[in-house]
Amino acid sequence: MDIKELESSYFDDKIYVKNVAVDNVIFGYHDKELRVLLQRPTSFPKWTVTGGYVRKTESIEEAADNIACMRTGLKNLFLKQFRSFGNPSRTKGEREIVKKFFESIGMELPADSWILDYSVSIAFYTLTEFSRVTVQKAPFDEAIDWWPVSQLPPMMFDHALIIAEALKALQHHIYHYPIGYELLPEKFTLPEIHSLYETILDKTLDNRNFTRKLMSTGIVKKLDETRSIGAHRSPYLYKFDKRKYDTALKKGIFLAF
Amino acid sequence: MDIKELESSYFDDKIYVKNVAVDNVIFGYHDKELRVLLQRPTSFPKWTVTGGYVRKTESIEEAADNIACMRTGLKNLFLKQFRSFGNPSRTKGEREIVKKFFESIGMELPADSWILDYSVSIAFYTLTEFSRVTVQKAPFDEAIDWWPVSQLPPMMFDHALIIAEALKALQHHIYHYPIGYELLPEKFTLPEIHSLYETILDKTLDNRNFTRKLMSTGIVKKLDETRSIGAHRSPYLYKFDKRKYDTALKKGIFLAF
DNA sequence: AATTTATTTCGTCAAAATGACAGAATATGT
DNA sequence: ACATATTCTGTCATTTTGACGAAATAAATT
């Protein structure tokens, strides 16, 4: 998206849905760490969740997918809508910053522009393995980076809340849906998926009991291969049983870690 | 809300948030039956979920609460946001009907009015005991009534989907939150809450096991009173332990019925 | 070649939770 | 006193859970 398109579109009520934004909390997992992809638009003093507006030709899910794709280069990531945010004060205190941002890129926003007005944000979260991602800096981002969920920078608007809620939703969903498919390589080891769950839930899980429960769901299956990890016993490789995984995604499961 | 206010407001971009609607699926329970409160606005051939628009001075939660209050007369009912809906086609096929509706009440909508445009709906569900409700007919409703969730009339837009999703969300939440406080009188019997759960989950639950699990949560406590129900053994009365109930609402519980 | 080290994997056991099931208690009308 | 309809309580075999420890393995070290 270049300046021309941005300029013509944000001002053109025929293209974008007014007063509605989509924010997408992109979670990345790698090496036992959970991070969030954040951006800092030009001249912004604080960071924001990746987000954008909704074209009238697309669904909110498509908008969220586009946002994820624009920033990660990956299409069709796992996307989950978890809540919408809307109240008079959520952007109020920082509208001046938004205005300055548009000025800094050479666009004068009319005072009554919907961009500076009451804004409803439909929030999604996305999961990905962040070593697979080549972060894409958008034209008007001064910075874009992965931040550990436990050490976030100062956030704009209510975005700290949005991230906190996204994390809560993820932690809740992990008990009912087979999280992991998007966060791990195709073939992974038991210790790897074990660490993933520990990281997301932020607590230690007995490895023997974890394995027992995970295997009882049937969504992962053991392969007849091992991975060499140096001077230690080689762990077996596992992969998701896509068939059962999809069923579990649709019908839900019940894990009690 | 009278015509004057409606007229001046829907056209005034300064009062309402454009392109955003709040729909509230009001569930009512009574006598072992689960129903939904539906309205049929003047000249509409089909029914809709109760809904409305968001004032720029209020949050989406307040908007949902107002909708519930306008229709039931009850304030501060249990409200839960479960999903937002937004895609180009969800209202497209029936915009002509909306236009005719406004004409029928003497208002000519401009062709480019946001009311006929792409609409994002933020959906909530609400719970109440429907014998406590005196249904409030709004000025422009031709009809408003409780419909059994299993026998809905023809629905406008994607409202049949919205109700289906609300029901799924409710059935899911019942495993994790202490549903029932809003759906039962202050004092209730064990068979009553048992039937409530059976109705919502749409399956039979062994009464002995149900009691055991319910009591183990600690959210309800037995009283030293009974209710006379005629020629049968008098059931004991129970009430929610508000303290533990609130904790459970906040922290969540884990019921496996 | 034996030993050390770090990591993975497998196994046990007591306690708790679950699912299936039946019979006793009680309030009223006959 | 008895019949009837409904509420309430209890048991038991099975399964699941939580808490542990010990054996197996791959490479580096002696």
Side-chain angles (χ1 to χ4, degrees), chain B residues 190-233:
Chain B
L190 231 31
E192 280 169 353
I193 192 171
H194 179 219
S195 294
L196 169 66
Y197 274 72
E198 285 192 331
T199 304
I200 291 180
L201 289 173
D202 195 24
K203 66 177 177 187
T204 62
L205 303 168
D206 182 275
N207 57 350
R208 293 152 291 194
N209 296 339
F210 172 81
T211 307
R212 186 209 290 156
K213 284 175 196 165
L214 179 67
M215 296 313 290
S216 77
T217 65
I219 55 172
V220 299
K221 56 186 177 193
K222 192 177 184 172
L223 300 178
D224 207 24
E225 310 167 52
T226 56
R227 168 183 298 163
S228 185
I229 56 160
H232 309 292
R233 176 169 182 174

Tab-separated table of all heavy atoms in Angstrom, chain B residues 190-233:
chain	number	residue	atom	x	y	z
B	190	LEU	N	-33.301	-27.452	43.982
B	190	LEU	CA	-32.336	-28.237	43.225
B	190	LEU	C	-32.919	-28.702	41.888
B	190	LEU	O	-32.273	-28.567	40.849
B	190	LEU	CB	-31.899	-29.427	44.084
B	190	LEU	CG	-30.408	-29.681	44.270
B	190	LEU	CD1	-29.582	-28.423	44.248
B	190	LEU	CD2	-30.166	-30.485	45.534
B	191	PRO	N	-34.120	-29.247	41.877
B	191	PRO	CA	-34.703	-29.641	40.581
B	191	PRO	C	-34.808	-28.479	39.607
B	191	PRO	O	-34.679	-28.676	38.402
B	191	PRO	CB	-36.090	-30.161	40.983
B	191	PRO	CG	-35.927	-30.615	42.381
B	191	PRO	CD	-34.939	-29.680	43.006
B	192	GLU	N	-35.010	-27.284	40.147
B	192	GLU	CA	-35.130	-26.131	39.246
B	192	GLU	C	-33.813	-25.806	38.548
B	192	GLU	O	-33.769	-25.632	37.323
B	192	GLU	CB	-35.629	-24.903	40.023
B	192	GLU	CG	-37.129	-24.894	40.261
B	192	GLU	CD	-37.586	-23.828	41.251
B	192	GLU	OE1	-36.720	-23.156	41.867
B	192	GLU	OE2	-38.806	-23.679	41.415
B	193	ILE	N	-32.753	-25.747	39.313
B	193	ILE	CA	-31.464	-25.426	38.682
B	193	ILE	C	-31.000	-26.590	37.821
B	193	ILE	O	-30.353	-26.406	36.788
B	193	ILE	CB	-30.402	-25.027	39.733
B	193	ILE	CG1	-29.182	-24.409	39.034
B	193	ILE	CG2	-30.004	-26.195	40.615
B	193	ILE	CD1	-28.169	-23.797	39.972
B	194	HIS	N	-31.383	-27.788	38.213
B	194	HIS	CA	-31.071	-28.968	37.415
B	194	HIS	C	-31.729	-28.878	36.034
B	194	HIS	O	-31.080	-29.073	35.004
B	194	HIS	CB	-31.545	-30.220	38.170
B	194	HIS	CG	-31.306	-31.492	37.441
B	194	HIS	ND1	-32.215	-32.532	37.440
B	194	HIS	CD2	-30.270	-31.904	36.680
B	194	HIS	CE1	-31.727	-33.525	36.704
B	194	HIS	NE2	-30.555	-33.174	36.237
B	195	SER	N	-33.006	-28.530	36.035
B	195	SER	CA	-33.719	-28.386	34.763
B	195	SER	C	-33.120	-27.280	33.909
B	195	SER	O	-33.030	-27.401	32.687
B	195	SER	CB	-35.192	-28.062	35.020
B	195	SER	OG	-35.833	-29.144	35.638
B	196	LEU	N	-32.720	-26.209	34.571
B	196	LEU	CA	-32.110	-25.093	33.844
B	196	LEU	C	-30.886	-25.564	33.053
B	196	LEU	O	-30.746	-25.277	31.864
B	196	LEU	CB	-31.708	-24.002	34.831
B	196	LEU	CG	-30.826	-22.882	34.278
B	196	LEU	CD1	-31.591	-22.064	33.246
B	196	LEU	CD2	-30.328	-21.982	35.388
B	197	TYR	N	-30.023	-26.290	33.727
B	197	TYR	CA	-28.823	-26.778	33.058
B	197	TYR	C	-29.163	-27.765	31.947
B	197	TYR	O	-28.549	-27.745	30.883
B	197	TYR	CB	-27.858	-27.395	34.082
B	197	TYR	CG	-26.949	-26.373	34.722
B	197	TYR	CD1	-27.452	-25.459	35.647
B	197	TYR	CD2	-25.609	-26.283	34.383
B	197	TYR	CE1	-26.634	-24.498	36.217
B	197	TYR	CE2	-24.780	-25.323	34.958
B	197	TYR	CZ	-25.296	-24.438	35.867
B	197	TYR	OH	-24.476	-23.481	36.421
B	198	GLU	N	-30.126	-28.619	32.199
B	198	GLU	CA	-30.533	-29.563	31.158
B	198	GLU	C	-31.084	-28.830	29.940
B	198	GLU	O	-30.812	-29.196	28.798
B	198	GLU	CB	-31.588	-30.528	31.702
B	198	GLU	CG	-31.019	-31.585	32.632
B	198	GLU	CD	-32.017	-32.697	32.932
B	198	GLU	OE1	-33.235	-32.422	32.917
B	198	GLU	OE2	-31.584	-33.825	33.186
B	199	THR	N	-31.848	-27.790	30.207
B	199	THR	CA	-32.446	-27.034	29.106
B	199	THR	C	-31.383	-26.332	28.278
B	199	THR	O	-31.381	-26.410	27.050
B	199	THR	CB	-33.433	-25.984	29.659
B	199	THR	OG1	-34.408	-26.635	30.460
B	199	THR	CG2	-34.107	-25.241	28.515
B	200	ILE	N	-30.470	-25.652	28.946
B	200	ILE	CA	-29.453	-24.910	28.209
B	200	ILE	C	-28.523	-25.844	27.448
B	200	ILE	O	-28.184	-25.600	26.297
B	200	ILE	CB	-28.643	-24.004	29.167
B	200	ILE	CG1	-29.534	-22.868	29.675
B	200	ILE	CG2	-27.411	-23.438	28.466
B	200	ILE	CD1	-28.851	-21.920	30.629
B	201	LEU	N	-28.129	-26.923	28.090
B	201	LEU	CA	-27.198	-27.835	27.421
B	201	LEU	C	-27.917	-28.794	26.482
B	201	LEU	O	-27.289	-29.497	25.694
B	201	LEU	CB	-26.402	-28.619	28.469
B	201	LEU	CG	-25.381	-27.788	29.235
B	201	LEU	CD1	-24.758	-28.603	30.357
B	201	LEU	CD2	-24.294	-27.304	28.280
B	202	ASP	N	-29.234	-28.824	26.594
B	202	ASP	CA	-30.041	-29.674	25.738
B	202	ASP	C	-29.636	-31.140	25.849
B	202	ASP	O	-29.466	-31.837	24.856
B	202	ASP	CB	-29.936	-29.208	24.278
B	202	ASP	CG	-31.040	-29.828	23.418
B	202	ASP	OD1	-32.079	-30.203	23.975
B	202	ASP	OD2	-30.829	-29.950	22.192
B	203	LYS	N	-29.421	-31.562	27.077
B	203	LYS	CA	-29.196	-32.987	27.316
B	203	LYS	C	-29.538	-33.323	28.757
B	203	LYS	O	-29.586	-32.440	29.612
B	203	LYS	CB	-27.750	-33.367	26.998
B	203	LYS	CG	-26.693	-32.748	27.892
B	203	LYS	CD	-25.309	-33.272	27.495
B	203	LYS	CE	-24.207	-32.635	28.316
B	203	LYS	NZ	-22.871	-33.014	27.833
B	204	THR	N	-29.801	-34.594	29.013
B	204	THR	CA	-30.170	-34.979	30.367
B	204	THR	C	-28.919	-35.164	31.215
B	204	THR	O	-27.889	-35.620	30.738
B	204	THR	CB	-30.976	-36.289	30.379
B	204	THR	OG1	-30.155	-37.322	29.837
B	204	THR	CG2	-32.236	-36.167	29.545
B	205	LEU	N	-29.035	-34.764	32.474
B	205	LEU	CA	-27.917	-34.879	33.401
B	205	LEU	C	-28.410	-35.676	34.608
B	205	LEU	O	-29.451	-35.370	35.179
B	205	LEU	CB	-27.474	-33.483	33.852
B	205	LEU	CG	-27.068	-32.517	32.751
B	205	LEU	CD1	-26.939	-31.102	33.303
B	205	LEU	CD2	-25.755	-32.952	32.126
B	206	ASP	N	-27.676	-36.683	34.972
B	206	ASP	CA	-28.039	-37.490	36.137
B	206	ASP	C	-28.201	-36.580	37.352
B	206	ASP	O	-27.275	-35.842	37.702
B	206	ASP	CB	-26.957	-38.533	36.393
B	206	ASP	CG	-27.308	-39.438	37.554
B	206	ASP	OD1	-27.026	-39.048	38.701
B	206	ASP	OD2	-27.886	-40.518	37.317
B	207	ASN	N	-29.343	-36.629	37.992
B	207	ASN	CA	-29.612	-35.666	39.055
B	207	ASN	C	-28.670	-35.818	40.254
B	207	ASN	O	-28.247	-34.839	40.847
B	207	ASN	CB	-31.083	-35.759	39.511
B	207	ASN	CG	-31.452	-37.152	39.978
B	207	ASN	OD1	-30.679	-38.097	39.801
B	207	ASN	ND2	-32.625	-37.298	40.581
B	208	ARG	N	-28.275	-37.059	40.562
B	208	ARG	CA	-27.399	-37.240	41.715
B	208	ARG	C	-26.003	-36.698	41.432
B	208	ARG	O	-25.404	-35.986	42.238
B	208	ARG	CB	-27.348	-38.725	42.062
B	208	ARG	CG	-28.679	-39.231	42.553
B	208	ARG	CD	-28.882	-40.683	42.280
B	208	ARG	NE	-29.053	-40.974	40.857
B	208	ARG	CZ	-29.504	-42.123	40.393
B	208	ARG	NH1	-29.831	-43.101	41.219
B	208	ARG	NH2	-29.632	-42.327	39.096
B	209	ASN	N	-25.505	-37.019	40.238
B	209	ASN	CA	-24.170	-36.533	39.879
B	209	ASN	C	-24.162	-35.013	39.685
B	209	ASN	O	-23.191	-34.353	40.039
B	209	ASN	CB	-23.681	-37.228	38.609
B	209	ASN	CG	-23.508	-38.726	38.815
B	209	ASN	OD1	-23.380	-39.187	39.950
B	209	ASN	ND2	-23.514	-39.480	37.735
B	210	PHE	N	-25.261	-34.517	39.136
B	210	PHE	CA	-25.359	-33.070	38.953
B	210	PHE	C	-25.256	-32.359	40.297
B	210	PHE	O	-24.489	-31.403	40.458
B	210	PHE	CB	-26.691	-32.715	38.281
B	210	PHE	CG	-26.956	-31.237	38.231
B	210	PHE	CD1	-26.380	-30.457	37.250
B	210	PHE	CD2	-27.767	-30.628	39.191
B	210	PHE	CE1	-26.604	-29.089	37.210
B	210	PHE	CE2	-27.999	-29.260	39.164
B	210	PHE	CZ	-27.414	-28.491	38.171
B	211	THR	N	-26.010	-32.828	41.252
B	211	THR	CA	-25.997	-32.211	42.582
B	211	THR	C	-24.604	-32.257	43.194
B	211	THR	O	-24.111	-31.262	43.731
B	211	THR	CB	-26.976	-32.944	43.517
B	211	THR	OG1	-28.244	-33.008	42.897
B	211	THR	CG2	-27.092	-32.226	44.839
B	212	ARG	N	-23.995	-33.406	43.079
B	212	ARG	CA	-22.660	-33.561	43.651
B	212	ARG	C	-21.689	-32.527	43.091
B	212	ARG	O	-20.981	-31.828	43.825
B	212	ARG	CB	-22.148	-34.963	43.326
B	212	ARG	CG	-20.837	-35.306	43.965
B	212	ARG	CD	-20.069	-36.317	43.114
B	212	ARG	NE	-20.672	-37.636	43.125
B	212	ARG	CZ	-20.502	-38.532	42.148
B	212	ARG	NH1	-19.788	-38.215	41.080
B	212	ARG	NH2	-21.050	-39.713	42.228
B	213	LYS	N	-21.696	-32.384	41.752
B	213	LYS	CA	-20.764	-31.449	41.125
B	213	LYS	C	-21.105	-30.000	41.432
B	213	LYS	O	-20.231	-29.185	41.715
B	213	LYS	CB	-20.756	-31.665	39.612
B	213	LYS	CG	-19.987	-32.894	39.206
B	213	LYS	CD	-20.102	-33.140	37.724
B	213	LYS	CE	-19.679	-34.551	37.387
B	213	LYS	NZ	-20.100	-34.929	36.022
B	214	LEU	N	-22.381	-29.706	41.376
B	214	LEU	CA	-22.791	-28.328	41.646
B	214	LEU	C	-22.375	-27.913	43.056
B	214	LEU	O	-21.810	-26.837	43.264
B	214	LEU	CB	-24.308	-28.199	41.490
B	214	LEU	CG	-24.858	-26.802	41.774
B	214	LEU	CD1	-24.378	-25.816	40.726
B	214	LEU	CD2	-26.381	-26.815	41.826
B	215	MET	N	-22.632	-28.772	44.011
B	215	MET	CA	-22.313	-28.427	45.392
B	215	MET	C	-20.806	-28.325	45.623
B	215	MET	O	-20.358	-27.549	46.457
B	215	MET	CB	-22.922	-29.445	46.360
B	215	MET	CG	-24.450	-29.482	46.343
B	215	MET	SD	-25.233	-27.852	46.402
B	215	MET	CE	-24.861	-27.341	48.076
B	216	SER	N	-20.053	-29.112	44.869
B	216	SER	CA	-18.599	-29.085	45.068
B	216	SER	C	-17.984	-27.748	44.641
B	216	SER	O	-16.883	-27.408	45.045
B	216	SER	CB	-17.934	-30.236	44.311
B	216	SER	OG	-17.858	-29.923	42.935
B	217	THR	N	-18.715	-26.983	43.813
B	217	THR	CA	-18.191	-25.677	43.419
B	217	THR	C	-18.341	-24.670	44.550
B	217	THR	O	-17.626	-23.674	44.601
B	217	THR	CB	-18.945	-25.107	42.200
B	217	THR	OG1	-20.309	-24.844	42.570
B	217	THR	CG2	-18.917	-26.056	41.028
B	218	GLY	N	-19.311	-24.914	45.415
B	218	GLY	CA	-19.521	-24.012	46.539
B	218	GLY	C	-20.271	-22.746	46.187
B	218	GLY	O	-20.493	-21.902	47.053
B	219	ILE	N	-20.695	-22.581	44.943
B	219	ILE	CA	-21.354	-21.319	44.575
B	219	ILE	C	-22.810	-21.259	45.024
B	219	ILE	O	-23.403	-20.198	45.024
B	219	ILE	CB	-21.274	-21.032	43.064
B	219	ILE	CG1	-21.849	-22.196	42.256
B	219	ILE	CG2	-19.841	-20.753	42.650
B	219	ILE	CD1	-21.979	-21.892	40.786
B	220	VAL	N	-23.404	-22.399	45.354
B	220	VAL	CA	-24.761	-22.356	45.904
B	220	VAL	C	-24.749	-22.979	47.292
B	220	VAL	O	-23.940	-23.856	47.580
B	220	VAL	CB	-25.791	-23.097	45.022
B	220	VAL	CG1	-25.870	-22.478	43.647
B	220	VAL	CG2	-25.462	-24.562	44.926
B	221	LYS	N	-25.629	-22.481	48.134
B	221	LYS	CA	-25.696	-23.068	49.471
B	221	LYS	C	-27.139	-23.384	49.852
B	221	LYS	O	-28.075	-22.689	49.461
B	221	LYS	CB	-25.048	-22.141	50.489
B	221	LYS	CG	-25.610	-20.737	50.544
B	221	LYS	CD	-24.777	-19.867	51.491
B	221	LYS	CE	-25.300	-18.441	51.493
B	221	LYS	NZ	-24.354	-17.507	52.132
B	222	LYS	N	-27.253	-24.442	50.614
B	222	LYS	CA	-28.567	-24.928	51.009
B	222	LYS	C	-29.126	-24.055	52.126
B	222	LYS	O	-28.411	-23.665	53.038
B	222	LYS	CB	-28.406	-26.360	51.514
B	222	LYS	CG	-29.682	-27.133	51.696
B	222	LYS	CD	-29.330	-28.562	52.130
B	222	LYS	CE	-30.550	-29.437	52.235
B	222	LYS	NZ	-30.160	-30.854	52.469
B	223	LEU	N	-30.416	-23.766	52.027
B	223	LEU	CA	-31.056	-23.007	53.091
B	223	LEU	C	-31.820	-23.962	54.002
B	223	LEU	O	-32.009	-25.132	53.678
B	223	LEU	CB	-32.016	-21.983	52.482
B	223	LEU	CG	-31.369	-20.970	51.539
B	223	LEU	CD1	-32.426	-20.051	50.956
B	223	LEU	CD2	-30.298	-20.171	52.273
B	224	ASP	N	-32.287	-23.426	55.081
B	224	ASP	CA	-33.023	-24.263	56.022
B	224	ASP	C	-34.528	-24.126	55.794
B	224	ASP	O	-35.313	-24.260	56.714
B	224	ASP	CB	-32.648	-23.859	57.453
B	224	ASP	CG	-32.816	-25.054	58.387
B	224	ASP	OD1	-32.752	-26.188	57.874
B	224	ASP	OD2	-33.023	-24.845	59.594
B	225	GLU	N	-34.892	-23.839	54.543
B	225	GLU	CA	-36.304	-23.677	54.222
B	225	GLU	C	-36.684	-24.639	53.114
B	225	GLU	O	-35.838	-25.081	52.344
B	225	GLU	CB	-36.583	-22.261	53.704
B	225	GLU	CG	-36.032	-21.140	54.551
B	225	GLU	CD	-36.103	-19.822	53.784
B	225	GLU	OE1	-37.202	-19.497	53.277
B	225	GLU	OE2	-35.068	-19.138	53.665
B	226	THR	N	-37.947	-24.917	53.036
B	226	THR	CA	-38.433	-25.741	51.931
B	226	THR	C	-39.558	-25.001	51.223
B	226	THR	O	-40.105	-24.035	51.746
B	226	THR	CB	-38.971	-27.093	52.437
B	226	THR	OG1	-39.991	-26.833	53.404
B	226	THR	CG2	-37.866	-27.916	53.066
B	227	ARG	N	-39.862	-25.460	50.043
B	227	ARG	CA	-40.978	-24.871	49.313
B	227	ARG	C	-42.059	-25.942	49.179
B	227	ARG	O	-41.773	-27.095	48.871
B	227	ARG	CB	-40.533	-24.422	47.926
B	227	ARG	CG	-41.707	-24.060	47.014
B	227	ARG	CD	-41.255	-23.686	45.637
B	227	ARG	NE	-40.404	-22.501	45.673
B	227	ARG	CZ	-39.609	-22.127	44.691
B	227	ARG	NH1	-39.545	-22.861	43.591
B	227	ARG	NH2	-38.877	-21.045	44.805
B	228	SER	N	-43.263	-25.543	49.416
B	228	SER	CA	-44.363	-26.496	49.303
B	228	SER	C	-44.794	-26.611	47.848
B	228	SER	O	-45.098	-25.607	47.209
B	228	SER	CB	-45.538	-26.021	50.171
B	228	SER	OG	-46.553	-26.988	50.154
B	229	ILE	N	-44.805	-27.819	47.327
B	229	ILE	CA	-45.169	-27.988	45.914
B	229	ILE	C	-46.341	-28.956	45.775
B	229	ILE	O	-46.445	-29.703	44.807
B	229	ILE	CB	-43.980	-28.516	45.097
B	229	ILE	CG1	-43.457	-29.816	45.710
B	229	ILE	CG2	-42.900	-27.476	44.977
B	229	ILE	CD1	-42.640	-30.638	44.751
B	230	GLY	N	-47.216	-28.966	46.763
B	230	GLY	CA	-48.390	-29.811	46.663
B	230	GLY	C	-48.147	-31.213	47.199
B	230	GLY	O	-47.457	-31.378	48.201
B	231	ALA	N	-48.706	-32.167	46.528
B	231	ALA	CA	-48.721	-33.535	47.035
B	231	ALA	C	-47.397	-34.264	46.868
B	231	ALA	O	-47.368	-35.413	46.430
B	231	ALA	CB	-49.833	-34.313	46.343
B	232	HIS	N	-46.320	-33.583	47.197
B	232	HIS	CA	-45.016	-34.232	47.044
B	232	HIS	C	-44.074	-33.770	48.126
B	232	HIS	O	-44.319	-32.772	48.794
B	232	HIS	CB	-44.414	-33.932	45.671
B	232	HIS	CG	-45.347	-34.201	44.551
B	232	HIS	ND1	-45.750	-35.463	44.209
B	232	HIS	CD2	-45.996	-33.359	43.723
B	232	HIS	CE1	-46.603	-35.380	43.192
B	232	HIS	NE2	-46.771	-34.110	42.888
B	233	ARG	N	-42.999	-34.442	48.219
B	233	ARG	CA	-41.977	-34.047	49.187
B	233	ARG	C	-41.528	-32.614	48.903
B	233	ARG	O	-41.272	-32.244	47.759
B	233	ARG	CB	-40.788	-34.989	49.077
B	233	ARG	CG	-39.653	-34.607	49.974
B	233	ARG	CD	-38.625	-35.707	50.014
B	233	ARG	NE	-37.549	-35.365	50.927
B	233	ARG	CZ	-36.581	-36.208	51.231
B	233	ARG	NH1	-36.550	-37.418	50.711
B	233	ARG	NH2	-35.642	-35.835	52.068
